[in-house]
Amino acid sequence: MSAPSHSTTQQRTYRVAVIAGDGTGPEVVREGQKVLEAAAKAEGFTLAWEPHDFSGARYLRTNELVSDKDIEALRATAAIYLGAVGHPDVPPGILEHGVLLRLRFALDQYINLRPVKLYPGVWTPLKDKTPEHIDFVVVRENTEGLYAGVGGFLRKGTPDEVALQTSVNSRKGVERCVRYAFELTRARNKRKKLTFCGKTNVLTYAHDLWQRVFQEVAKEYPDVQTDYAHVDATCMWMVKNPEWFDVIVTDNMFGDIITDLGAIIQGGMGIAAGGNVNPQGVSMFEPIGGSAPKYTGKNVINPLAAICAGGMLLEHLGERHAAARVEQAVMRLTPQLKSLAAGQMGYSTTEVGDLVARYVAEWKAT
Ligand code: IPM
Ligand code: MN
């Protein structure tokens, strides 16, 4: 959490980098900024937006991705607000590695925080499940595992070729992630249950280390109940009994997979938000849905995921009241939407942004 800088008028001011990106990214970020501005106004602080053009479109124009100088500029900000990076004309892998993973790694955003919460009136594919059943958070390790980029080819392109992709699990990396998850479980103060999701029966080195670290750190949190579930079983329980989960901690690859499952049970990409968090550095918040090129410029995409990511950003800055305003406003709107899907909301992108901003301004703490 970063300390606010104080201007001469005593008003708290935060510099926030904005990476609007490609496709519908700019449209959803614009609505998010509108809502965050309303929250800042109501709670008496200022957001100083700082646009950065890292996108597929720029890459196609200039061949540039994210430079060391760009990283230094981002380090001077309080947080990063990301729309979506992805372009149909850029081959897969380039933007993922050159922008998203580059930022996560260079800024050491070692936690990927993914709340899975079903809001009122939102349709879930899970039969008989309501908001009281779906409210948990996935803490995904975000800088190691299979994403570390360790591996290589032998005899590439020949009939005898071999490809290796190694999962990297350092004690320090695992421990800081597990510790974050325990702290979060305690701070949430809900069911106070932390589930380690792994595959200890097969990944007998990597997840042996995870398991030992998990059990060691658990001793410092006697108030937190611990649990374990294999990743395959976790998928099953997320569908059958999502109410069993409070906080789940897992490695990078498993976290990537189970959070898409999480997104769909909370209503889909229209609402799913996430944070790439470095508790000691600069964190980045994003809707997890991607650039949705076919909806670009049509004013039909759902901006709620970006708005929720903005709420997480405010929470991260320590502006808890502003964050609560955003969440309450979203929860006031969701029962009025016909659907969360693009083009089927019953409202346009900008209308959703306008309504949430209005509810943010109107909200009274009870
Ligand atoms: C996510 C995405 C990324 C990931 C891709 C785009 C590299 O799927 O944020 O979950 O795999 O982490
Ligand atoms: Mn993913």
Side-chain angles (χ1 to χ4, degrees), residues 223-237:
D223 53 320
V224 174
Q225 186 199 335
T226 57
D227 197 6
Y228 173 78
H230 289 320
V231 63
D232 43 356
T234 302
C235 292
M236 208 167 63
W237 301 132

Side-chain angles (χ1 to χ4, degrees), residues 151-347:
F153 293 106
L154 278 177
R155 302 182 286 270
K156 189 179 179 187
T158 74
D160 296 320
E161 80 174 312
V162 177
L164 297 174
Q165 192 96 39
T166 303
S167 176
V168 173
N169 298 264
S170 70
R171 173 169 272 272
K172 278 185 193 151
V174 173
E175 187 174 335
R176 65 184 182 174
C177 175
V178 164
R179 199 171 284 284
Y180 182 94
F182 273 102
E183 285 292 330
L184 176 70
T185 311
R186 181 179 270 173
R188 254 168 79 81
N189 199 22
K190 292 203 168 167
R191 301 188 50 214
K192 292 241 226 162
K193 178 174 154 188
L194 177 61
T195 304
F196 164 42
C197 161
K199 191 74 183 176
T200 51
N201 52 348
V202 174
L203 304 183
T204 46
Y205 307 114
H207 287 183
D208 182 81
L209 174 61
W210 273 80
Q211 180 85 297
R212 280 183 286 122
V213 169
F214 185 69
Q215 283 162 356
E216 267 172 44
V217 176
K219 293 195 189 109
E220 296 169 41
Y221 298 84
D223 53 320
V224 174
Q225 186 199 335
T226 57
D227 197 6
Y228 173 78
H230 289 320
V231 63
D232 43 356
T234 302
C235 292
M236 208 167 63
W237 301 132
M238 278 172 69
V239 171
K240 187 171 180 290
N241 296 101
E243 64 277 6
W244 287 359
F245 296 114
D246 177 12
V247 179
I248 298 175
V249 65
T250 191
D251 75 10
N252 209 341
M253 189 80 255
F254 290 173
D256 177 49
I257 298 165
I258 70 168
T259 55
D260 262 31
L261 181 53
I264 205 67
I265 68 171
Q266 75 180 124
M269 291 306 178
I271 192 94
N276 300 276
V277 177
N278 176 344
Q280 290 83 35
V282 181
S283 301
M284 174 166 76
F285 298 86
E286 54 173 339
I288 69 171
S291 61
K294 70 173 177 183
Y295 296 118
T296 304
K298 298 196 159 80
N299 201 22
V300 295
I301 193 81
N302 187 344
L304 284 179
I307 290 169
C308 290
M312 292 177 75
L313 187 156
L314 295 178
E315 176 86 40
H316 183 79
L317 293 177
E319 296 292 345
R320 304 189 66 172
H321 292 285
R325 275 180 188 269
V326 174
E327 183 169 47
Q328 295 302 318
V330 169
M331 288 169 73
R332 186 174 155 194
L333 179 68
T334 50
Q336 301 171 46
L337 299 180
K338 286 202 197 115
S339 158
L340 296 188
Q344 296 168 39
M345 297 185 288
Y347 295 93

